[in-house]
Each structure stands twice: as structure tokens, then as C-alpha cells.
Amino acid sequence: ISVVAAEVQRTGVEETIFNKVCIQLRTLCTFDGLSTPSITEALGLCARLGSCRLLLTEHSRNDIHQRVLLNVSCDDIHYALKVN
């Protein structure tokens, strides 16, 4: 979910496309020295976050072109993930 928030902050647009989120995910994983999940794994993560209503996704699509929208504020995400 922090990847979607990062993409929203980068573009300034609240709705994005899953493919752009994947690009951002690869960038952040590389920067942090983590392995990048496959597209299938990332789609699964997106679906799980959608089922928890943290993300709003197109139910009719489950591919890299589906639209993704945060259902919580970026500030709430940063606060929840803040390391003290």
C-alpha cells in the first residue's frame, strides 16, 4: 500500500494504473535491496488489499491495466508504517 501512496505522491493523481504501481514497486525494492515480487504476486497483493478495502480496484479486471485508488489517506499510511 505504501507503493501506491508513493505513486500517488509522485504523480499528484489519486487514481493510478496497476502497471505504474509495479514500476514504482520495482524501484522501491531495488532501492531497499529487496527482491521484487512477480507480476502475479503483486496482483495477488493488490487483490488482498482490495478485499480489505485499503485499495479500490476494478473488480471486472485483474490485470496490469486495472485502475487502483487508495481508500485511505497517504498521511494515514505513513503514520501506520512509521518506525519509532
Side-chain angles (χ1 to χ4, degrees):
I1 195 162
S2 62
V3 174
V4 179
E7 180 64 16
V8 167
Q9 287 185 328
R10 185 184 74 78
T11 63
V13 179
E14 293 197 13
E15 184 178 285
T16 188
I17 297 174
F18 177 80
N19 192 40
K20 292 181 181 180
V21 173
C22 279
I23 293 168
Q24 184 75 309
L25 176 62
R26 274 189 236 123
T27 301
L28 292 175
C29 285
T30 301
F31 181 77
D32 290 339
L34 303 171
S35 62
T36 304
S38 68
I39 296 292
T40 303
E41 291 169 327
L43 279 168
L45 290 169
C46 187
R48 289 184 81 187
L49 291 170
S51 69
C52 296
R53 305 300 291 169
L54 294 171
L55 292 179
L56 300 177
T57 60
E58 290 182 278
H59 294 296
S60 61
R61 297 185 82 148
N62 190 22
D63 61 20
I64 62 171
H65 301 293
Q66 71 176 317
R67 291 179 290 167
V68 178
L69 179 69
L70 283 174
N71 201 26
V72 293
S73 74
C74 289
D75 290 338
D76 288 343
I77 294 168
H78 291 298
Y79 180 76
L81 298 176
K82 186 176 178 183
V83 178
N84 291 326

